[in-house]
Amino acid sequence: DAEFGTNTDVSKAVGECGIITSLINKFNADNPDVHVIVTTVEWPGYDQLTAQFAAGDPPDIVTVHHSVLGDYQSKGLLMPLDDLLKTVGVSPSDFTDASLSGVTKDGKIHGLPIDNWTMLFHVNLDLFKKAGLVNADGTPKLPASVDELMAQAKQFKEKTGKPYFVQNLANEVALYTRNLYTYLFQQDSDFFADPKQVKMNTAEAKKVLEMYKAIYDNDDTTKDLDYAASINAFLAGEGGVHLNGTWVIGDYTASSETSGTALNAGGYAVYPYPQLFSGKKAQYADGHSWAVSQKDRTPEEEAAIGKFLKFFNDNDYEWSRTGHLPAVKAVLESDAFKKLPHRDTIAPIATLGTPLPSTVQRQFAIQDIIGQEMNAAITGQKEIDAALADMESRINELLANI
Amino acid sequence: MSSTSSGIVGRSTGDRIILILVIVLALIMMAPIAWVIALSLKDNKELMTDMNSVFHAPYTINNYINILATSSVFRWILNSLIVSGGLTVMTLILSSLAGYGFARLNFPFRNALFIIVLLGLAVPEQAVLIARHQLFSWLKFHNTYHGLILPGLAAPFGVFLMTQYFRAIPKELDEAALLDNASRFKIFWKVLLPLTIPAQATLGIFTFLSSWNDYFWPLISGTKKEMYTLTIGIASTQTNFAQSEGLGFLMSQAVFAGAPILILYLFFQKYIVTAVSGAAVR
Amino acid sequence: MTAHIEIRNVSKRYGSLTVLDGLSLTIKANEFIVFLGPSGCGKSTLLRMIAGLDSVDDGTISINGERIDNLPPGQRDIAMVFQSYALYPHMTVADNMAFGLRNISLPAEVISARVAEAARMLEIGHLLERKPGQLSGGQRQRVAIGRAIVKEPKAFLFDEPLSNLDAALRVRTRVELAQLRNRVRSTMIFVTHDQIEAMTLADRIVVMNNRKIEQIGTPMEIYSRPASRFVATFVGSPTMNFLPIGLSGENGFARARLPDGTELQTAIRLDGINGSEHSLGIRAEAVKLANGTAATTTGKVEVIERLGDRTLLYTRLEGGSVIIAEDVGNSRVAIGDEVALALDGARTHLFDAEGRAWHNEGVGHG
Amino acid sequence: MTAHIEIRNVSKRYGSLTVLDGLSLTIKANEFIVFLGPSGCGKSTLLRMIAGLDSVDDGTISINGERIDNLPPGQRDIAMVFQSYALYPHMTVADNMAFGLRNISLPAEVISARVAEAARMLEIGHLLERKPGQLSGGQRQRVAIGRAIVKEPKAFLFDEPLSNLDAALRVRTRVELAQLRNRVRSTMIFVTHDQIEAMTLADRIVVMNNRKIEQIGTPMEIYSRPASRFVATFVGSPTMNFLPIGLSGENGFARARLPDGTELQTAIRLDGINGSEHSLGIRAEAVKLANGTAATTTGKVEVIERLGDRTLLYTRLEGGSVIIAEDVGNSRVAIGDEVALALDGARTHLFDAEGRAWHNEGVGHG
Amino acid sequence: MAEATLSGSASAAKAATRQAVQNINAPLWRNAVFVAPYLFLFVTLLVVPLFWSIWLSLHKADAFGIGRFVGVDNYFRLFRDKIFIQSVGNTFYFVFLTVPALALIGLMLALALNRKTRSAAALRAVYFSSSVLSVTIVTLIWRIVFIGNFGLPATIYGWFGATAPAFLSDPKLTMIGIAIATVWWCIGLPMMLFLSALQQVPQEIYEAAALDNASRWRTLWHITLPSIRRTFVLVIIIEIVLQFQLFGQARLMTQGGPNNVSKPIVLYIYEAAFTKWDLGLGAAASEILFILIMLAAMAQYFISRRRGEEG
Ligand SMILES: Nc1ncnc2c1ncn2[C@@H]1O[C@H](COP(=O)(O)OP(=O)(O)OP(=O)(O)O)[C@@H](O)[C@H]1O
Ligand SMILES: Nc1ncnc2c1ncn2[C@@H]1O[C@H](COP(=O)(O)OP(=O)(O)OP(=O)(O)O)[C@@H](O)[C@H]1O
Ligand SMILES: [Mg+2]
Ligand SMILES: [Mg+2]
């Protein structure tokens, strides 16, 4: 974030870090009476946030995922924002449906939604061309079923000598989990029918795991990369499709516009996950929001917070340049947004995106469990059935002890 | 193999072979650090496309310039200095007092208390961490300097070391001073304390190093960015946002954070070595 | 001011170990007293009890009639010189000497005057700015004495102050200490296990052994009329010769039959001697090479020790016992020689199995 | 097998410090040689060079004609007893003794026979299963000697083996060592700075000082005909008296004028004496209390040392010099007495300013 | 020391009945002022939290308040939890990997560098230098070194056309990877401890051994090693205690993965408390860690003691 350390011209910034830093700088510059101090934490940072809440000294405003709002909200740690938003003139009806439902808990808004995000297929078009997987119009051919995926991956590897997928499988849990959720949604599996009880030992889940295991066994994916290394690998042209979130679109686009890079050679494209199963079209999505901790505050302090939330709401467009989908309907529909690179191809996410039921707590802990068990199954350390059984019992044990 | 610089006749060739082996191993040992330093001197973009470029020019110090532009690093270093320095000073004071007390003064239950303190050496930090965190929450000590300093003060190591050291000082000195009409505190302050300077150096260095490098407690107690210690601060930059910033920058942060302590180490190397040895004797 | 010290029935125990057992002793003002005894007999303990560094378990200690055993060490007006000197390593020599005086808040001029005077007396004026680490053993020893002198105490206590010095320096310092003693008027108590130091320095020697006092007396009393076999063995070098004997009498004086059958007339009165087994004690200087008729007995020389001014002959008698005889420095005797020995019956002592001693009537004959 | 050791022109330097400078010495087979000298004069260094524990910078060392100074220590067939004994603390006494023999792979029976024999000789049979930590100082010392004996070496080296023992034990062990020496036929080199040990043990003494050998000779030669003032000072206790004198002659023999003006006729031939300033050396045993006319001079007694068998009187002469006189054990002299002294002119020595010495013609008169 | 105190109190008791005796060695409360400040902190920051933790472990508690008393239920849950059992196993495996390596390599380095030359001093400095780095730096370095496609081993293997092992993602190698980084990081301390022990061994013993014709090997085996046996035990105990508390390396290099094969107990505790918000469970696990460390150190101590007595 060094390059944007003092930048207040938001329009020049790229990447999550750059944009948010610039936004906050701008806010501080525009509002000399309020000063926002930013604390970055080790990702994902909820351990420290929990410690802060436990210590009774949480930050005033914190970005949290929609998926964890419930944890804190259920302990009464977050301030309902309905009144505050009303006073600064932000109406819940401004938000997209996905965003609104993401931040609404017990009928109250507990966070200002700023985006929706999901995982995407980031495509290296140069390699796709070499593999012969490009349509006449220059768009990549994406699979429509599991078999097609396997066939295309095979072809890709034969032609390019490189794996189809670039995935960060080393020391990773989130990617596995999100993939699983997405493909369970696509099979209409209602694994969280009861938010206190998960059903994972199902045929649907087994299908997903078998598919990923096949990909792994066939060497159709990179294997031993961690998150940072996978980004490097994709940028270095080590594979065709990178599974990563909306937040890297800005960076990748920038890279594809720099001559000499692997993405510059043939171009860069990005798509939602293809529909591989016959169920409802869907993919797992989550979002960020600004939550406000429950504290005794003076009216001035509340007003400052309101100002800050309003500011972000007003600048949702700038934030959406990171690649995330805006939380404000108007921005989503604006021309400026549509003109951003690749937004045309990912816009459907606004309707595809499906979160877990908001009543499910400890979603990060659950994600750890799912990721661990999937990793074990896919890399062959465990039988798929055993992994699914363990997954289910571990999650249920966790949920039973909340 | 174990002869020191003795003049024993006919012992040199074997010694030389061993020395060469040790040098080679030292080079291997240093390789990761050298490699990381080389990485930190490379342009991020260049590294993205060609990892082998670390082995040749061009090198650049841009990464370091970028670090300096991030003002937080200095704040973190300051925090680390305050926390480690404060802890070190307080530990020296408390341990010296307690060491003198245990070594020289008799009071009810002295030996039992000393044994209990020694047992404290075996208590892992994690066994008390959760409770301590709650205690500090209740006292509103989190995100304060004393909140970061205090837990380190309970560690029994310093007391143990200083007690052993005081015990090793001839008791006749106390007795001579007693006959010279000096009070107990005067004996401690004027006669014995000046003699413990080597042990103070040892303990000071140890305390400072371990506090500087502590990861667990600051992670959950100093949770505000302005209260981060360098260790936590550097860890916080390693993930999420920073990942796209490139390897060279990351490595330069590692080097930047490691350098002060390494330089400090090289300065005090002699003391540290004798310190470690001294601690081991007893 | 000097101290008359009364020690009454003093005992000391460490746990279940009794180190001193009901000891009594009077030390006169200005006296130079030496506590002499083997290692571990409790000499240091007694000294430290006088200084207040060890507590008294039973009994009392008083100085000039005033009970002091419950005063803290600093208030007893006593100075001590430790075996290891116990100089404060980080203070200069001058500060070492001044420390005690500053603690009682003497005016600075008095302090510096006293330090200067002591330094002059001990010839350490040029060392005042050095630290103890920069001094030789002998110099340290003098500084330790200086630190005691400046306090002008009622009594000086020395705990084996010479034992860390090498042989030559020890002899020299011993003489210096004897001279110092003539200049400083104060009671002095000196602990040693070296009988030569005790003999040469003491007005009176307190021989201690095994929790008790064996004998108190002037050096010559101790040497020539040892109260027990232990004292006779411990004092004098080479150690006294002991021969198992049979006892008979002649004109009221004891007559000893040596292991080889020869008889020796002693000057010891027979009456009063009791017990069954006896041995005869005779110092090497009372056993000389005999020419012709004066011989008491004969023996074979096994070891010869030439000390320069005299020669010691370790001679095995016929009965198997070994006796040490003294000869002149340039003795011509060689190992293996048969020699005739003359034992001086007038300088013999008798001991019974319990170690009790009987001596001749007259004053001992060194 | 015993060693004839030739040391030729040996030098040793530590950095810029020369510790030994071109030293030569021949040690005969079976001889008991003592290196005597003040602390730091290089005795240990020379010994360690013979053992191979320090390297030789210049010169050669050979045993029985064979050069050994570049052999590792283990191959020189030499045993050494260290001042600190250097027993292996974790091995039993038996293992300590056997270790060296196992290293050269002797058969187990031979080893145990030799260990048993040595243990018998040194009377440590009952200690064989103990560890050194469970032994007293004297016992450790014997084990150290035992460890040397079992190796049946050509030469034994002792580096101040008695200095860690207490006074009584030291005397006893000294005698035992002298007896051992008669049983074990081997060359022995013994380092000490205690002149009594040197005198009593040595066949020949090598007096060292200041990087060089001052004198080599039998104990009596060293004592009665010291080659230099240093040797005269270092050997003998109390140390020799030195008086500055004026020199004149009578019948070819030197005549000394003492500081107080009295004259003393010596037995030293005048021819050959050169140099300008001279001093007279005379041992305390040649200075006696005089009755009446025999007096050479008079002085005032300052210090009295009672050694039991004799008494030393530190007497200040009129000229200011102090002379030590010897009197009988039960001397009646008191401090401050004026005494008349008789100096035995036949037992005097002359030294010039450089320390060179002249003696009377005859054999020394201890 | 112990005896002195006993006698002190005995005499003080007697003194009290006799009169107010000023015995400088008597146990007096006012002598405790020197230790009081430390003891206050020791009790409030270590003893109280320790017992508080034990109390917590008997409760259903989360980060925001103590719930109900559940007895030893948390402990039962732990023993039923495969992941916990696995993390205990992992910890033992890690200790087994690192402690002998640290002790042996440390010993060998100490033997090689126990000389007074300048090069030896410089090498000692080099080997100790990594110990001063913080865990974040160390893991950052090693994560990059181990990275699959372009790490240091990968680069070096690449020169020979081979694929480097995946130290941080191959389940068989992760613990080894963490162990390598740990040994690299921690080797300084055991080396220094051994060095100081070696310097305590009197030089004369070596000289005696040289005169006894002992070869280098026999000297090492029969003289050096027995002489530093106590230090060896000390090093082992210290390292067991330290390595049992593995946390930073695992958290920062692998986050305990893949599939928990590198999750040590401390990370389990941390996750239980701060990710699952299950403080009672975390507290229970930390008490088990405490007991394990005590047992391991004590076992080692007694084993070595027994052997010492026999030998
Ligand atoms: N603090 C102590 N605890 C237990 N026993 C002790 C203590 N101090 C001394 N002793 C014992 O008391 C006895 C007398 O000791 P002390 O030091 O007085 O002997 P010493 O005559 O001075 O001997 P040395 O000549 O060796 O100095 C010894 O047996 C010793 O072991
Ligand atoms: N390793 C060394 N480095 C430098 N100087 C040394 C070393 N060993 C000895 N010396 C010096 O060499 C000189 C002779 O030492 P050596 O040990 O031979 O004396 P010594 O006659 O045995 O004395 P002592 O009677 O005290 O044992 C001394 O001045 C000493 O300081
Ligand atoms: Mg004593
Ligand atoms: Mg020596």
Side-chain angles (χ1 to χ4, degrees), chain A residues 337-396:
Chain A
F337 175 72
K338 285 182 181 152
K339 260 191 255 152
L340 288 174
H342 309 296
R343 295 312 188 271
D344 50 340
T345 54
I346 61 170
I349 291 172
T351 50
L352 294 177
T354 314
L356 290 192
S358 68
T359 40
V360 176
Q361 292 197 31
R362 305 289 185 281
Q363 291 190 21
F364 266 85
I366 292 170
Q367 169 177 295
D368 281 350
I369 296 172
I370 294 179
Q372 287 164 6
E373 296 296 341
M374 268 183 82
N375 170 289
I378 289 169
T379 57
Q381 298 168 59
K382 249 188 198 175
E383 290 301 319
I384 288 175
D385 289 330
L388 287 172
D390 288 350
M391 195 186 286
E392 186 174 293
S393 66
R394 282 177 64 194
I395 294 171
N396 287 335

Side-chain angles (χ1 to χ4, degrees), chain A residues 119 167-183 208-209 212-213 216 221-223 225 243 273 367-379 381 391, chain E residues 169 258-259:
Chain A
M119 301 299 284
Q167 295 186 95
N168 48 314
L169 299 184
N171 305 317
E172 170 64 26
V173 287
L175 176 64
Y176 288 111
T177 312
R178 294 167 188 159
N179 289 345
L180 178 64
Y181 289 163
T182 295
Y183 291 121
V208 180
L209 264 64
Y212 272 98
K213 183 161 169 46
Y216 187 89
T221 177
T222 58
K223 287 181 174 169
L225 306 183
L243 300 184
Y273 275 38
Q367 169 177 295
D368 281 350
I369 296 172
I370 294 179
Q372 287 164 6
E373 296 296 341
M374 268 183 82
N375 170 289
I378 289 169
T379 57
Q381 298 168 59
M391 195 186 286
Chain E
S169 54
N259 190 29

Side-chain angles (χ1 to χ4, degrees), chain C residues 61-78:
Chain C
I61 302 178
S62 19
I63 295 188
N64 298 341
E66 216 181 303
R67 213 174 136 180
I68 55 142
D69 49 274
N70 39 15
L71 288 182
Q75 290 168 29
R76 297 188 184 196
D77 207 357
I78 276 176

Side-chain angles (χ1 to χ4, degrees), chain C residues 85-106:
Chain C
Y85 313 142
L87 299 178
Y88 310 126
H90 55 289
M91 298 186 195
T92 63
V93 167
D95 287 337
N96 259 284
M97 296 207 271
F99 184 69
L101 304 182
R102 293 202 185 115
N103 287 338
I104 51 171
S105 310
L106 281 191

